Amino acid sequence: MKKLLFTVAIIALSVAAKAQQTAKPPASPTIAVKPLDTTKHQTPKLYNPAADAKADIAAAVKTAQAQHKNVLLQIGGNWCVWCLRFNDLVTKDADLTKYLTDNYVVLHVNWSPENKNEKVLADLGYPQRFGFPVFVVLDGKGNRLHTQNSGYLEEGKGHSKAKVMEFFENWSPKALDPKTYVEKEKAK
């Protein structure tokens, strides 16, 4: 009797194993995917991976020197939601836009898998260590004045207008001009 049960069990297991091998996997459910509507919600292309960052920075410095401004390098990529949020804030807020255009020549420097601009970023003191976006302020001679971690400017799911304005003001040409402080002392 034990032999019979053992034989039946072996046959049953063999049949089950064979059934699993020949069974077709269940069909995947069909998912309807809508094509992207590229006419409405295009991601802005602030950064150009093909740009010559070194030449662009040199041109920005030359322009800044002629206009008595500093250069603000916004380093990041089109893939970076925080980069896009920062740009959205400073281009849609009239106070920030005016202060920025009055005091800085702005340049978006790309960092992406296509072009990490490693040599340029090395020359700027490796600002990518702070994440993206990261800001580098240059004077009209191309000297690096400051590297700003954008995390300190964040608030909620964006950037604080007050913190961004303070950053712009603290690194503007006027803030770095010794005459500004001599005038303040005389006024006391």
Side-chain angles (χ1 to χ4, degrees):
M1 183 72 161
K2 287 183 183 178
K3 279 186 177 182
L4 181 62
L5 286 174
F6 182 71
T7 305
V8 170
I10 295 290
I11 293 172
L13 287 174
S14 298
V15 170
K18 184 68 174 167
Q20 283 183 343
Q21 289 176 356
T22 59
K24 292 182 179 177
S28 299
T30 304
I31 300 171
V33 179
K34 288 184 178 180
L36 291 176
D37 181 1
T38 57
T39 60
K40 291 181 185 174
H41 304 289
Q42 286 187 347
T43 302
K45 300 294 183 210
L46 301 174
Y47 299 89
N48 180 0
D52 181 345
K54 186 173 183 175
D56 290 347
I57 292 170
V61 167
K62 187 175 180 180
T63 301
Q65 186 174 32
Q67 296 177 1
H68 307 288
K69 296 180 179 183
N70 285 339
V71 176
L72 178 68
L73 303 177
Q74 180 179 329
I75 303 167
N78 295 318
W79 53 268
C80 169
V81 69
W82 286 95
C83 300
L84 303 178
R85 287 176 183 167
F86 182 84
N87 187 73
D88 194 51
L89 172 67
V90 299
T91 57
K92 290 183 178 175
D93 183 280
D95 297 330
L96 291 173
T97 300
K98 179 170 177 19
Y99 198 88
L100 189 61
T101 56
D102 288 350
N103 292 282
Y104 295 92
V105 173
V106 179
L107 179 64
H108 292 89
V109 177
N110 184 76
W111 188 97
S112 67
E114 301 88 27
N115 184 356
K116 294 181 181 179
N117 279 308
E118 292 170 316
K119 173 72 172 108
V120 169
L121 296 183
D123 291 345
L124 293 170
Y126 303 97
Q128 68 269 37
R129 69 187 181 274
F130 296 114
F132 299 102
V134 62
F135 308 101
V136 176
V137 179
L138 307 174
D139 66 12
K141 295 177 183 169
N143 299 314
R144 180 171 53 101
L145 301 173
H146 179 67
T147 301
Q148 179 66 46
N149 178 339
S150 67
Y152 298 131
L153 306 176
E154 292 174 9
E155 185 174 82
K157 293 188 179 205
H159 296 87
S160 162
K161 176 183 175 176
K163 291 176 184 178
V164 170
M165 183 61 88
E166 182 180 25
F167 162 57
F168 289 167
E169 289 171 345
N170 286 337
W171 295 99
S172 68
K174 183 179 178 183
L176 300 171
D177 184 354
K179 293 177 198 165
T180 303
Y181 300 99
V182 172
E183 291 168 7
K184 284 184 182 178
E185 288 298 316
K186 286 182 183 178
K188 287 183 180 179

